[in-house]
């Protein structure tokens, strides 16, 4: 017998039948839409072998797509690390008891979260040039990604820490821990597990946002697939489909990594040493349990 939960009632026979019918209907509609797209592309000759042949040649991958993929992953990796540090620092700063720390941190987070990422990248490139600085395309992209996504991550960190039950912090203070120790040893370890899905979701957004580097002519994966390859082989639609497939594979791998990290974190918490049984007498013998 299926057991119902507090938030979800187990469906009965009629509900299961309705769900199965709706699943079948939506599946048929999805297949119909896919066929219509395929048919329209076929009318325009987008499935012709000559348009897809460049992707069977090694030079297309080694000289165009893989270098663009490397640039995308490099910018995403550096920006992700900096954004996580930025988010952790400013997220914790927004919880400070000192107003001269809390208020400026809130202003910085809200300011960079409100500005479109495209403007941040553009400002980093051309604003730096006007100031007499040499700003590369890579630096401009990383700078914009760090500020925007770091501000969003700061709110995630703040919300995750506030979601930890208040009793956890009070227990830490009761045993004599200072506030920074409570934050580092009690609140953050528990908040990270709860924040993991949101953090990974934002990192996926960060990875896709590297495509906005086109505004400063950054040679990323999208630039190679949607500009360089079509300019050489006149196959825009096949190029975009292949590049989209590459992005999907990368994001799926990132999601799998996040799931593995979350499971490992939960296993680590469950395998922690069990507390001493309250029935142990002061002399070291187990007290009788009624």
């Amino acid at each position: 017998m299926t057991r119902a939960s507090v938030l979800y009632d187990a469906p009965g026979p009629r509900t299961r039948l309705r769900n199965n019918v709706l699943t079948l209907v939506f599946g048929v509609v999805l297949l119909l839409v896919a066929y219509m797209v395929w048919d329209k592309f076929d009318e325009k000759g987008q499935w012709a072998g000559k348009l897809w042949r460049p992707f069977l040649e090694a030079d297309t991958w080694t000289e165009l797509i893989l270098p663009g993929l490397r640039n995308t992953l490099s910018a995403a990796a550096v920006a992700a690390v900096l954004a996580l540090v930025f988010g952790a620092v400013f997220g914790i700063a927004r919880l400070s008891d000192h107003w001269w720390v809390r208020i400026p941190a809130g202003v910085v987070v809200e300011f960079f979260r409100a500005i479109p990422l495209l403007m941040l990248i553009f400002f980093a490139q051309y604003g730096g040039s006007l100031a007499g600085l040499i700003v590369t395309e890579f630096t401009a992209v990383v700078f914009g990604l760090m500020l925007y996504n770091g501000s969003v991550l700061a709110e995630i960190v703040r919300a995750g820490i506030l979601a930890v039950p208040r009793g956890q912090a009070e227990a830490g203070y009761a045993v004599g821990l200072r506030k920074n120790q409570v934050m580092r040893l009690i609140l953050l370890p528990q908040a990270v597990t709860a924040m993991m899905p949101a953090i990974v979701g934002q990192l996926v957004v960060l990875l896709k946002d590297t495509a906005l580097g086109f505004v400063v002519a950054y040679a990323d994966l999208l630039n190679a697939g949607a500009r360089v390859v079509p300019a050489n082989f006149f196959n825009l639609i096949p190029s975009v489909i292949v590049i989209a497939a590459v992005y999907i594979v990368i994001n799926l791998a990132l999601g799998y990594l996040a799931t593995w990290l979350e499971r490992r974190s939960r296993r680590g918490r469950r395998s922690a040493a069990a507390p001493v049984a309250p029935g142990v007498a002061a002399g070291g013998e187990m007290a009788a349990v009624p």
Side-chain angles (χ1 to χ4, degrees), residues 69-169:
L69 176 60
R70 182 176 63 251
N71 291 338
T72 291
L73 295 179
S74 299
V78 175
V81 173
L82 296 178
L84 286 172
V85 175
F86 184 99
V89 171
F90 281 87
I92 295 174
R94 295 202 67 180
L95 299 174
S96 175
D97 294 332
H98 306 289
W99 67 267
W100 47 271
V101 174
R102 183 178 63 255
I103 294 179
V107 171
V108 170
V109 169
E110 295 299 333
F111 178 78
F112 288 113
R113 196 171 58 144
I115 297 180
L117 175 57
L118 196 64
M119 293 180 60
L120 290 175
I121 297 175
F122 182 84
F123 175 78
Q125 176 73 26
Y126 296 99
S129 300
L130 293 177
L133 302 176
I134 300 177
V135 181
T136 64
E137 293 83 1
F138 177 84
T139 304
V141 172
V142 170
F143 178 81
L145 291 173
M146 177 195 69
L147 292 180
Y148 179 77
N149 292 279
S151 299
V152 177
L153 288 172
E155 287 297 288
I156 294 175
V157 170
R158 184 174 72 93
I161 294 174
L162 292 176
V164 178
R166 185 183 298 271
Q168 299 291 324

Side-chain angles (χ1 to χ4, degrees), residues 158-184:
R158 184 174 72 93
I161 294 174
L162 292 176
V164 178
R166 185 183 298 271
Q168 299 291 324
E170 294 176 350
Y173 294 133
V175 298
L177 296 180
R178 295 188 296 272
K179 183 175 182 179
N180 61 342
Q181 292 176 316
V182 170
M183 180 68 69
R184 177 168 48 88

Side-chain angles (χ1 to χ4, degrees), residues 218-275:
Y218 182 61
D220 66 327
L221 177 61
L222 183 62
N223 191 22
R227 288 186 177 182
V228 181
V229 174
N232 286 275
F233 302 104
F234 306 101
N235 58 347
L236 177 60
I237 297 300
S239 298
V240 172
I241 293 176
V242 171
I243 298 304
V246 175
Y247 272 110
I248 291 173
V249 171
I250 296 173
N251 291 330
L252 288 177
L254 187 59
Y256 176 80
L257 176 62
T259 303
W260 178 78
L261 290 174
E262 184 178 3
R263 289 177 179 174
R264 184 181 180 188
S265 175
R266 293 185 183 278
R267 284 199 304 266
R269 291 174 58 186
R270 286 197 299 265
S271 61

